Amino acid sequence: MRQGDALSSTLFNLILEAVLQKINITGHIVTKSIQILAYADDVAIVGRNKNALKDTLVNIESKARKRGLQINENKTKYMEVMRAASNSDHLHCGKYEFEHVKEFTYLGSQLNQTKSTSSEIQARIRSRNRCYYAYGKLMKSRALNRSSKRKIYKSLMRSIATYRCKDWTLTN
């Protein structure tokens, strides 16, 4: 099928699911050395060390290749989570070389290598401000009463600003 066809994304997700089901990751969430998080076409591999990460990536790549899937080297990133920021080199895994990044966005949440939530909170505030200015005329209009404006604020703007806030680690 061609990319962009109505069935292509569904077939891709079915095949990716079959590939990820073949990966044998046993154990409890605390004792696992690798965890695979997948939603639609976004896959995150979380590992306790680089060797476990590389082994899992090679395993996924070989099983995916058998089913006609390829890893997009340009879209795949690598991040090490540490107490202090590091300037690691790219990750070499087989024929692939993955770019090292200090932060990235996964499923709408901004993650960084120092586990700081300040950049995520700032991104949420910016998103909320963009929403406010997009609906600025409506919020300033005299055609809407105060209770309607309050409902718009609560359902749109506040939810954008507080999305996934229960996951934030607050220090102060």
Side-chain angles (χ1 to χ4, degrees):
M1 301 192 102
R2 291 177 172 247
Q3 185 173 354
D5 188 271
L7 286 177
S8 66
S9 62
T10 303
L11 288 174
F12 171 80
N13 287 331
L14 288 171
I15 294 170
L16 183 62
E17 177 69 19
V19 167
L20 295 179
Q21 289 293 326
K22 294 281 184 189
I23 307 298
N24 185 17
I25 300 178
T26 58
H28 188 268
I29 193 167
V30 176
T31 60
K32 289 180 185 178
S33 62
I34 287 290
Q35 290 184 23
I36 299 175
L37 311 169
Y39 182 79
D41 64 342
D42 286 332
V43 178
I45 305 170
V46 181
R48 294 190 187 274
N49 59 53
K50 284 184 184 180
N51 291 333
L53 184 68
K54 286 180 180 181
D55 291 343
T56 303
L57 188 59
V58 166
N59 197 359
I60 289 173
E61 196 271 335
S62 68
K63 289 183 179 5
R65 190 175 352 100
K66 289 177 186 175
R67 289 177 171 80
L69 298 180
Q70 298 175 341
I71 293 176
N72 187 335
E73 191 173 357
N74 296 326
K75 285 184 162 183
T76 306
K77 308 296 181 209
Y78 156 74
M79 183 177 77
E80 243 178 320
V81 178
M82 313 175 112
R83 294 192 197 285
S86 72
N87 291 326
S88 294
D89 291 332
H90 296 323
L91 179 70
H92 297 279
C93 184
K95 64 179 182 177
Y96 297 105
E97 181 178 329
F98 301 116
E99 177 187 355
H100 179 265
V101 294
K102 295 182 180 181
E103 64 182 27
F104 71 96
T105 302
Y106 181 69
L107 299 180
S109 291
Q110 194 163 0
L111 307 170
N112 59 45
Q113 69 183 104
T114 59
K115 298 185 270 184
S116 169
T117 56
S118 61
S119 61
E120 168 71 9
I121 292 169
Q122 293 301 317
R124 291 279 145 217
I125 291 170
R126 284 191 303 274
S127 294
R128 186 256 184 233
N129 287 342
R130 282 193 298 269
C131 180
Y132 175 78
Y133 288 111
Y135 289 100
K137 278 187 173 180
L138 191 62
M139 296 300 282
K140 292 175 185 175
S141 170
R142 293 181 186 255
L144 286 178
N145 61 18
R146 186 175 292 213
S147 90
S148 297
K149 291 177 184 179
R150 188 178 298 120
K151 287 179 184 176
I152 291 171
Y153 171 77
K154 286 181 179 178
S155 63
L156 289 174
M157 295 172 204
R158 188 165 64 184
S159 62
I160 287 172
T162 60
Y163 174 71
R164 296 189 55 97
C165 67
K166 65 179 188 222
D167 297 338
W168 298 343
T169 304
L170 302 177
T171 55
N172 292 334

